[in-house]
Amino acid sequence: RECWRLTTRSGRTIVATDNHPFLKVGGWTPLSELEVGDRIAVPREVPVFGECDWSSERIRLLAYFIAEGGLTGRMPRFTNADPVIVDDFERCVYEEFESCAVTNIGITYTVRYIGDRFRGCNDVTAWLKSLELMGKSALEKRFPDVVWTFSREQLVDFVRVVMSCDGTVYPLRGYARIEFAVASENLARDMHHALIRLGIVSKFWFKKERCWRVEITEPASVDRYQREIGWLGEKTQRRFSERPGGRALRSNIGAPPAEVWELVRKALDNAGMSFAELSRRCGENSSNPHTRRSLPQRRLAMYAEVLDDDDLRFLAKPDLYWDEVVSIGYDGERDVYDLTVPMGSNFIADDICVHNSSLLSDFALAAGKRTQPVVLFSLEMSRQEVVQRFLSSE
């Protein structure tokens, strides 16, 4: 079937058919009805982890070679000038590979085999080959599959090392801003996804040739990165402004868009309450609700409790991030599959909230058009929603 590629402001991308539903404030909406500028729900966190029997030293060593490794020669090399990072790199090599030693020329460190060269081989080289990393240039690097089997603690260790080598943290108006810049698109995409697994919202984007960036600017995500992941070496010494009173810097980035005010108005009408009374009960100082702006989730959550409205409670969930659609483009014909899941009928694909597709209802509609009698049972849509689904497809 024909497919389209949708990209969001944060850099998340998905390829889907035009009937595949995405979550807007007003409900599940087919891709064909989405427009650039719409906000769709994406998860702030995808906490999927595995179990890996690797030691912390082996995990850190993998991260060092991915970040600063020279892997296109006969022997693996590592280049870095930070003494703390270099010491840790050497320690990881000696702990994991007793048959190898590290020598250096300047700030470039080479891992060599120190046994009988006629009876053995460089075990680090063999290990990197098994991970399909040896021979890869900076443009070709990406996370090997084993990374996605790490536990949360192991993934934190891995990300900390990669970011300490290829990332940076610097002040913007006194507050921390975190960036990761590399030549490989796949490596940047992998870091973007790893941060999502750890609950950190970031932006993936292309800056210029051979420069793909992942930026963490949302205050809550910057704070979480600094608190839960952190740095190695010199970057641990960098200091930034404290939040006034120790409070987190607030931001409307990723908040429910202005359309949510229509649902607030409906809830107010149902409760027979004015905006002024709602503001008073929520302890707000101003009766001007600023309905042309997005509505921060903390305020929406207060409104939901005062109005006792489940729809508003859902939209106020802190694990949802409302990401702006920046492009929708034709992506050609592809083999597609009708994926259906139970218990809520929605799932995460490419780090975006999506819903069971409507292929079966499309079959029912096609049969109905041929005057065939059709009975459709749906456990996820009301009768009115089924009718609306059919009408919207015309």
Side-chain angles (χ1 to χ4, degrees):
R1 294 185 59 180
E2 292 185 322
C3 294
W4 279 258
R5 180 179 296 272
L6 179 150
T7 303
T8 69
R9 177 72 60 187
S10 72
R12 306 184 197 208
T13 299
I14 188 170
V15 176
T17 54
D18 61 353
N19 65 334
H20 212 97
F22 295 81
L23 183 58
K24 291 180 60 178
V25 163
W28 292 101
T29 305
L31 188 151
S32 60
E33 297 180 17
L34 292 178
E35 298 178 353
V36 171
D38 285 347
R39 301 291 183 95
I40 60 173
V42 302
R44 283 183 170 271
E45 183 174 4
V46 182
V48 178
F49 304 103
E51 295 182 4
C52 180
D53 60 2
W54 282 18
S55 67
S56 177
E57 287 77 17
R58 183 159 295 219
I59 289 169
R60 298 201 308 277
L61 188 59
L62 173 63
Y64 285 129
F65 280 123
I66 287 175
E68 303 276 25
L71 306 180
T72 56
R74 190 167 58 88
M75 292 178 287
R77 292 177 169 83
F78 175 74
T79 303
N80 197 283
D82 189 312
V84 173
I85 287 176
V86 170
D87 285 348
D88 189 56
F89 168 78
E90 292 182 317
R91 182 166 53 253
C92 290
V93 172
Y94 291 128
E95 286 286 338
E96 291 296 307
F97 298 95
E98 295 179 352
S99 63
C100 294
V102 179
T103 61
N104 74 292
I105 299 177
I107 62 171
T108 296
Y109 298 79
T110 302
V111 180
R112 302 177 182 275
Y113 176 64
I114 57 176
D116 185 340
R117 65 189 181 90
F118 296 106
R119 297 183 179 180
C121 64
N122 189 321
D123 290 337
V124 175
T125 300
W127 173 59
L128 292 171
K129 283 181 178 179
S130 73
L131 296 170
E132 299 183 350
L133 283 174
M134 201 63 195
K136 293 291 192 297
S137 68
L139 286 170
E140 299 171 307
K141 286 183 180 179
R142 68 175 311 160
F143 292 179
D145 290 344
V146 68
V147 171
W148 309 122
T149 71
F150 289 169
S151 68
R152 189 183 195 284
E153 293 73 18
Q154 290 172 324
L155 187 60
V156 165
D157 279 349
F158 178 81
V159 168
R160 181 188 299 117
V161 170
V162 176
M163 290 291 291
S164 295
C165 293
D166 274 341
T168 188
V169 56
Y170 62 91
L172 181 67
R173 295 191 295 275
Y175 299 115
R177 179 188 179 102
I178 300 170
E179 291 185 359
F180 175 75
V182 289
S184 167
E185 176 183 358
N186 287 330
L187 183 55
R189 284 192 183 278
D190 286 344
M191 177 58 76
H192 186 239
H193 175 67
L195 291 171
I196 292 170
R197 288 199 179 195
L198 296 172
I200 294 169
V201 174
S202 61
K203 178 183 178 181
F204 164 83
W205 62 290
F206 172 72
K207 184 177 182 181
K208 60 182 180 180
E209 186 178 0
R210 295 172 64 93
C211 185
W212 295 87
R213 289 198 174 216
V214 178
E215 297 178 342
I216 309 172
T217 59
E218 186 207 33
S221 291
V222 170
D223 288 345
R224 187 169 186 178
Y225 182 94
Q226 297 286 77
R227 183 176 64 253
E228 298 182 8
I229 300 178
W231 306 89
L232 292 176
E234 178 272 332
K235 296 182 181 73
T236 63
Q237 305 303 314
R238 300 181 187 181
R239 296 292 178 261
F240 305 95
S241 299
E242 296 292 331
R243 310 299 189 197
R247 300 188 305 271
L249 189 66
R250 291 179 176 179
S251 169
N252 277 7
I253 297 174
E259 302 97 89
V260 76
W261 286 107
E262 288 300 318
L263 300 181
V264 174
R265 289 189 183 95
K266 290 179 181 179
L268 284 168
D269 291 341
N270 291 337
M273 190 184 302
S274 66
F275 267 125
E277 177 62 15
L278 177 62
S279 297
R280 187 190 68 79
R281 294 193 186 188
C282 291
E284 296 178 333
N285 295 325
S286 173
S287 59
N288 181 2
H290 300 292
T291 57
R292 294 184 180 180
R293 304 177 186 175
S294 58
L295 179 54
Q297 279 149 318
R298 63 185 183 280
R299 286 180 61 195
L300 184 56
M302 289 192 298
Y303 293 172
E305 292 308 311
V306 170
L307 296 169
D308 192 23
D309 189 286
D310 288 336
D311 290 336
L312 297 184
R313 286 192 184 97
F314 172 77
L315 297 174
K317 286 180 178 292
D319 51 356
L320 289 179
Y321 181 91
W322 297 90
D323 209 352
E324 181 184 358
V325 175
V326 295
S327 69
I328 302 174
Y330 182 66
D331 204 62
E333 291 190 355
R334 300 194 181 196
D335 292 334
V336 298
Y337 304 88
D338 187 32
L339 178 62
T340 299
V341 297
M343 300 300 291
S345 304
N346 56 83
F347 50 96
I348 306 300
D350 291 325
D351 298 325
I352 295 176
C353 300
V354 293
H355 197 281
N356 291 345
S357 68
S358 57
L359 182 60
L360 293 180
S361 60
D362 288 348
F363 289 160
L365 181 61
K369 286 182 176 180
R370 294 184 176 87
T371 68
Q372 299 290 325
V374 175
V375 178
L376 177 63
F377 294 94
S378 176
L379 299 179
E380 61 194 57
M381 294 184 290
S382 67
R383 179 174 59 184
Q384 291 78 11
E385 288 174 324
V386 170
V387 172
Q388 289 298 320
R389 172 65 65 86
F390 285 153
L391 290 176
S392 67
S393 66
E394 293 298 288

